[in-house]
Amino acid sequence: MNIHGKEIKIFTANATPEVAGEIAKHLGVPLGKSEVKKFSDGEIAVSINESVRGSDVFVVQSTCAPVNTNLMELLIMIDAFKRASAASITAVMPYFGYARQDRKAKARDPISAKLVADLITEAGADRVLTMDLHAAQIQGFFDIPVDHLLGVPILSPYFAEKFKGHDPDEIVVASPDLGSVGRARKFAERIDARLAIVDKRRPKANVSEVMNIIGDVQGKKVIIVDDLIDTAGTLCNAAEAMIVKGGATEVYACATHGVLSGPALERLEKSPIKELVLLDTIPLPKEANMNRITQLHVASVFAEAIGRIYEDKPVSPLFG
């Protein structure tokens, strides 16, 4: 692909090479030739094995676990492209790590999301393309343009097809907390379902206690919608409450990012969730039970966004 005199080139580090490969395939371009390895002392070594002079470069890298390694890989690759005279550099981050550290929750807390935004900018990125930031206001932490894609337009059609032919009154979309209500409402509108909200209290970090269910889920099939699932405590407590307190008949769940750290997989196995649907912004752990977890692909959406950025077209139609 070559318009306005500049080539488009897609490169990847080590976090999400499969996603990068699929993006390149959708765009009809080869994946850029590069290597990201480590020296014997653990320092990251980057080799760019083709010219990028005057090219529009897109670096695909989720900053998922190991978070700091993947972040450093991204920063060093951006620096390498900048020094190699790329015309523009876009950091394509399906998952933006550190997004949950977006404010001072208590005295002397860092705002790590802002620090990471500054690092990416200082490394030489001209633009960031990401999906479902934990807090949308993180876009304002950057001094460069940020295109913020949404996971709901990928997740909702899956459930619309799954429950096709069912009475809409049978289906309820639930937000696992007050912070996710907006996302759940958009999801519910897309599949013509009702909305419920889980009111919970979190006594300490990574521990949540469900208090109440706002909305009628008695005898309904419930879809819990969130942006990410980390230790799965909030999700599994919400699912249990839907069955025990609310009287729901079935519980499904979906999220854009499957962080799935710590006891997440064990909790999901013991939970009443029939199916968990995730996007492939983060690779699944090898031990994940694929009989209960379905993974949908984001490459086509990112490829279209990259094509629009390259051709100077608006990205907003992808939100529809």
Side-chain angles (χ1 to χ4, degrees), residues 262-285:
L265 293 177
E266 182 182 351
R267 286 173 172 172
L268 288 167
E269 280 297 310
K270 295 177 180 178
S271 77
I273 297 169
K274 290 194 67 174
E275 182 182 15
L276 171 63
V277 182
L278 300 169
L279 303 186
D280 61 349
T281 57
I282 298 174
L284 287 176

Short mmCIF file of all heavy atoms in Angstrom, two decimals, residues 262-285:
data_model
loop_
_atom_site.label_atom_id
_atom_site.label_comp_id
_atom_site.label_asym_id
_atom_site.label_seq_id
_atom_site.Cartn_x
_atom_site.Cartn_y
_atom_site.Cartn_z
N GLY A 262 -3.22 -14.02 38.65
CA GLY A 262 -3.45 -14.61 39.97
C GLY A 262 -4.45 -15.76 39.93
O GLY A 262 -4.31 -16.69 39.13
N PRO A 263 -5.49 -15.70 40.79
CA PRO A 263 -6.45 -16.80 40.89
C PRO A 263 -7.57 -16.75 39.86
O PRO A 263 -8.58 -17.45 40.02
CB PRO A 263 -7.01 -16.61 42.31
CG PRO A 263 -7.00 -15.13 42.50
CD PRO A 263 -5.77 -14.63 41.77
N ALA A 264 -7.44 -15.95 38.82
CA ALA A 264 -8.56 -15.73 37.88
C ALA A 264 -9.09 -17.01 37.28
O ALA A 264 -10.31 -17.26 37.30
CB ALA A 264 -8.12 -14.76 36.78
N LEU A 265 -8.23 -17.86 36.74
CA LEU A 265 -8.69 -19.07 36.05
C LEU A 265 -9.39 -20.03 37.02
O LEU A 265 -10.41 -20.64 36.68
CB LEU A 265 -7.53 -19.76 35.35
CG LEU A 265 -6.91 -19.00 34.17
CD1 LEU A 265 -5.71 -19.76 33.61
CD2 LEU A 265 -7.94 -18.74 33.08
N GLU A 266 -8.84 -20.14 38.22
CA GLU A 266 -9.46 -21.01 39.24
C GLU A 266 -10.84 -20.49 39.62
O GLU A 266 -11.80 -21.27 39.74
CB GLU A 266 -8.55 -21.09 40.46
CG GLU A 266 -9.07 -22.01 41.55
CD GLU A 266 -8.16 -22.04 42.77
OE1 GLU A 266 -7.05 -21.47 42.70
OE2 GLU A 266 -8.57 -22.61 43.80
N ARG A 267 -10.95 -19.18 39.79
CA ARG A 267 -12.25 -18.59 40.14
C ARG A 267 -13.26 -18.79 39.02
O ARG A 267 -14.44 -19.09 39.27
CB ARG A 267 -12.08 -17.10 40.42
CG ARG A 267 -11.43 -16.80 41.75
CD ARG A 267 -11.12 -15.31 41.90
NE ARG A 267 -10.67 -14.98 43.24
CZ ARG A 267 -10.19 -13.80 43.60
NH1 ARG A 267 -10.11 -12.82 42.70
NH2 ARG A 267 -9.80 -13.58 44.83
N LEU A 268 -12.83 -18.62 37.78
CA LEU A 268 -13.74 -18.79 36.65
C LEU A 268 -14.25 -20.22 36.55
O LEU A 268 -15.40 -20.46 36.21
CB LEU A 268 -13.04 -18.37 35.35
CG LEU A 268 -12.81 -16.86 35.18
CD1 LEU A 268 -11.86 -16.59 34.03
CD2 LEU A 268 -14.14 -16.13 34.95
N GLU A 269 -13.36 -21.18 36.83
CA GLU A 269 -13.76 -22.59 36.79
C GLU A 269 -14.85 -22.90 37.82
O GLU A 269 -15.74 -23.72 37.57
CB GLU A 269 -12.54 -23.49 37.05
CG GLU A 269 -11.64 -23.68 35.84
CD GLU A 269 -12.36 -24.39 34.70
OE1 GLU A 269 -12.97 -25.45 34.95
OE2 GLU A 269 -12.32 -23.87 33.57
N LYS A 270 -14.77 -22.24 38.98
CA LYS A 270 -15.74 -22.50 40.06
C LYS A 270 -17.00 -21.64 39.94
O LYS A 270 -17.96 -21.86 40.67
CB LYS A 270 -15.07 -22.24 41.41
CG LYS A 270 -13.94 -23.20 41.72
CD LYS A 270 -13.28 -22.84 43.05
CE LYS A 270 -12.14 -23.79 43.38
NZ LYS A 270 -11.45 -23.43 44.66
N SER A 271 -17.00 -20.68 39.05
CA SER A 271 -18.12 -19.74 38.94
C SER A 271 -19.27 -20.33 38.12
O SER A 271 -19.08 -21.31 37.39
CB SER A 271 -17.65 -18.45 38.27
OG SER A 271 -17.52 -18.64 36.87
N PRO A 272 -20.46 -19.73 38.22
CA PRO A 272 -21.60 -20.21 37.42
C PRO A 272 -21.60 -19.68 35.98
O PRO A 272 -22.59 -19.89 35.26
CB PRO A 272 -22.80 -19.68 38.21
CG PRO A 272 -22.31 -18.44 38.87
CD PRO A 272 -20.86 -18.69 39.19
N ILE A 273 -20.55 -19.00 35.55
CA ILE A 273 -20.51 -18.43 34.21
C ILE A 273 -20.44 -19.54 33.17
O ILE A 273 -19.51 -20.37 33.17
CB ILE A 273 -19.30 -17.48 34.06
CG1 ILE A 273 -19.44 -16.30 35.02
CG2 ILE A 273 -19.16 -16.99 32.62
CD1 ILE A 273 -18.19 -15.45 35.14
N LYS A 274 -21.42 -19.58 32.26
CA LYS A 274 -21.47 -20.63 31.24
C LYS A 274 -20.43 -20.40 30.15
O LYS A 274 -19.85 -21.36 29.63
CB LYS A 274 -22.86 -20.69 30.59
CG LYS A 274 -23.95 -21.21 31.50
CD LYS A 274 -25.20 -21.57 30.72
CE LYS A 274 -24.96 -22.77 29.81
NZ LYS A 274 -26.21 -23.23 29.15
N GLU A 275 -20.22 -19.14 29.78
CA GLU A 275 -19.27 -18.82 28.72
C GLU A 275 -18.69 -17.43 28.97
O GLU A 275 -19.42 -16.51 29.29
CB GLU A 275 -19.94 -18.86 27.35
CG GLU A 275 -18.99 -18.60 26.19
CD GLU A 275 -19.68 -18.58 24.84
OE1 GLU A 275 -20.93 -18.49 24.81
OE2 GLU A 275 -18.98 -18.66 23.81
N LEU A 276 -17.39 -17.31 28.81
CA LEU A 276 -16.70 -16.03 28.91
C LEU A 276 -16.14 -15.70 27.53
O LEU A 276 -15.40 -16.48 26.95
CB LEU A 276 -15.57 -16.10 29.93
CG LEU A 276 -14.63 -14.89 29.99
CD1 LEU A 276 -15.38 -13.63 30.40
CD2 LEU A 276 -13.47 -15.16 30.95
N VAL A 277 -16.51 -14.53 27.01
CA VAL A 277 -16.06 -14.11 25.68
C VAL A 277 -15.08 -12.95 25.84
O VAL A 277 -15.40 -11.94 26.47
CB VAL A 277 -17.25 -13.68 24.80
CG1 VAL A 277 -16.76 -13.28 23.40
CG2 VAL A 277 -18.27 -14.81 24.70
N LEU A 278 -13.89 -13.12 25.28
CA LEU A 278 -12.83 -12.11 25.37
C LEU A 278 -12.33 -11.78 23.97
O LEU A 278 -12.48 -12.57 23.04
CB LEU A 278 -11.66 -12.64 26.20
CG LEU A 278 -11.95 -13.03 27.65
CD1 LEU A 278 -10.76 -13.78 28.24
CD2 LEU A 278 -12.28 -11.81 28.50
N LEU A 279 -11.70 -10.62 23.83
CA LEU A 279 -11.01 -10.27 22.60
C LEU A 279 -9.54 -10.66 22.73
O LEU A 279 -9.03 -10.82 23.84
CB LEU A 279 -11.16 -8.78 22.30
CG LEU A 279 -12.60 -8.25 22.21
CD1 LEU A 279 -12.61 -6.78 21.76
CD2 LEU A 279 -13.44 -9.09 21.26
N ASP A 280 -8.85 -10.79 21.60
CA ASP A 280 -7.46 -11.26 21.66
C ASP A 280 -6.46 -10.12 21.75
O ASP A 280 -5.36 -10.20 21.19
CB ASP A 280 -7.15 -12.18 20.47
CG ASP A 280 -7.29 -11.49 19.11
OD1 ASP A 280 -7.84 -10.37 19.06
OD2 ASP A 280 -6.87 -12.09 18.11
N THR A 281 -6.82 -9.06 22.48
CA THR A 281 -5.88 -7.97 22.75
C THR A 281 -4.74 -8.43 23.64
O THR A 281 -3.67 -7.83 23.66
CB THR A 281 -6.60 -6.79 23.42
OG1 THR A 281 -7.21 -7.26 24.64
CG2 THR A 281 -7.67 -6.20 22.52
N ILE A 282 -4.99 -9.51 24.42
CA ILE A 282 -3.98 -10.11 25.30
C ILE A 282 -4.01 -11.62 25.04
O ILE A 282 -5.09 -12.21 25.00
CB ILE A 282 -4.30 -9.85 26.78
CG1 ILE A 282 -4.29 -8.35 27.08
CG2 ILE A 282 -3.34 -10.58 27.69
CD1 ILE A 282 -4.73 -7.99 28.49
N PRO A 283 -2.86 -12.26 24.84
CA PRO A 283 -2.86 -13.72 24.65
C PRO A 283 -3.40 -14.42 25.90
O PRO A 283 -3.12 -14.01 27.03
CB PRO A 283 -1.38 -14.05 24.44
CG PRO A 283 -0.74 -12.76 24.04
CD PRO A 283 -1.51 -11.67 24.72
N LEU A 284 -4.18 -15.47 25.69
CA LEU A 284 -4.71 -16.23 26.81
C LEU A 284 -3.63 -17.10 27.43
O LEU A 284 -2.74 -17.59 26.73
CB LEU A 284 -5.87 -17.12 26.35
CG LEU A 284 -7.19 -16.44 26.01
CD1 LEU A 284 -8.18 -17.48 25.48
CD2 LEU A 284 -7.77 -15.73 27.22
N PRO A 285 -3.70 -17.33 28.75
CA PRO A 285 -2.77 -18.28 29.37
C PRO A 285 -2.95 -19.67 28.75
O PRO A 285 -4.06 -20.06 28.36
CB PRO A 285 -3.19 -18.27 30.85
CG PRO A 285 -3.97 -17.01 31.04
CD PRO A 285 -4.62 -16.72 29.73
#
